[in-house]
Amino acid sequence: MGSLEETLEDYIARKKKNKKTEFELKKEVFNEFSSRNIYLVDPNPPLKFSNYITRMEYSLWFWTVLSFTLVSLTLIYVTNFLSILMPLRYIFGSIFVLFLPGYSLVEALYPGEGDLSPLERLALSIGLSLAVVPLIGLLLNYTPFGIRLLPIAASLSMFIIILSIYALYRKFSINSLLVASQKKA
């Protein structure tokens, strides 16, 4: 194991002295990282929430969710005029209803990287979406808007965006705590 200040490039260069192939070397470093024998630390972590949002390595999931939500909403409104886009509406609409509400809820509930495996996140996202979407529909039933396409689309998009912003802030808070603990060490 290398020193605390050693970069990943220096660590790999030091390991290269064993004359392994590049694939074997990368596999070995990945296995060491997976088994937590080595830790990778961002040398310039974002200290402000605005910086955290703009750094794609931290917030790519948020921008992807936001993009899918906006594209889905756009397709809902545009397909009334351009029926050729209807297959896209079905694809994005399915993701919008069956995955994104649960995914944003899972990200808000379990913001840490190691809290859940990717398969657990996927399964919980689909399961929670199947539970949350009918509840939103039930709530809409008791409003003057009723259960129609536009109120459901607006309610789901607000639910997804609000929870995603909350999850992003929770992830930023966890990252800030990690940065603070690393500075003390």
Side-chain angles (χ1 to χ4, degrees):
M1 181 153 33
S3 70
L4 291 176
E5 300 298 321
E6 188 175 32
T7 65
L8 182 60
E9 291 84 7
D10 294 339
Y11 182 71
I12 290 174
R14 188 169 48 84
K15 286 199 145 292
K16 224 177 209 179
K17 293 177 184 175
N18 296 343
K19 308 269 188 214
K20 295 181 180 179
T21 66
E22 189 172 331
F23 175 77
E24 290 173 340
L25 183 64
K26 289 178 181 178
K27 184 177 177 183
E28 182 181 332
V29 171
F30 177 77
N31 288 336
E32 288 177 1
F33 174 73
S34 297
S35 62
R36 299 191 186 258
N37 290 336
I38 61 172
Y39 295 96
L40 300 178
V41 178
D42 187 356
N44 298 319
L47 301 176
K48 295 180 182 176
F49 186 62
S50 59
N51 295 342
Y52 189 84
I53 290 173
T54 57
R55 295 266 305 264
M56 285 300 154
E57 61 268 25
Y58 292 102
S59 62
L60 180 63
W61 69 271
F62 172 75
W63 293 110
T64 305
V65 167
L66 190 64
S67 299
F68 263 89
T69 302
L70 294 178
V71 167
S72 299
L73 287 175
T74 303
L75 285 171
I76 287 171
Y77 295 110
V78 169
T79 51
N80 292 333
F81 309 108
L82 298 170
S83 59
I84 195 165
L85 296 176
M86 198 60 80
L88 279 178
R89 178 177 166 176
Y90 293 148
I91 293 168
F92 278 88
S94 298
I95 294 169
F96 179 68
V97 172
L98 298 175
F99 180 72
L100 291 182
Y103 183 74
S104 59
L105 185 58
V106 167
E107 289 296 317
L109 292 174
Y110 302 102
E113 289 292 321
D115 291 345
L116 297 172
S117 71
L119 184 60
E120 290 171 329
R121 284 190 190 275
L122 175 68
L124 273 175
S125 297
I126 294 170
L128 285 174
S129 289
L130 292 173
V132 166
V133 171
L135 289 174
I136 291 174
L138 181 66
L139 291 174
L140 279 174
N141 188 40
Y142 294 108
T143 66
F145 307 113
I147 303 176
R148 293 179 316 199
L149 178 62
L150 298 182
I152 288 175
S155 300
L156 279 179
S157 61
M158 285 190 322
F159 179 82
I160 291 167
I161 291 170
I162 289 169
L163 274 181
S164 295
I165 291 170
Y166 176 67
L168 189 67
Y169 184 75
R170 287 197 65 196
K171 287 177 177 280
F172 169 71
S173 299
I174 289 173
N175 188 55
S176 297
L177 290 174
L178 287 173
V179 168
S181 68
Q182 289 170 356
K183 284 186 179 180
K184 287 182 182 178

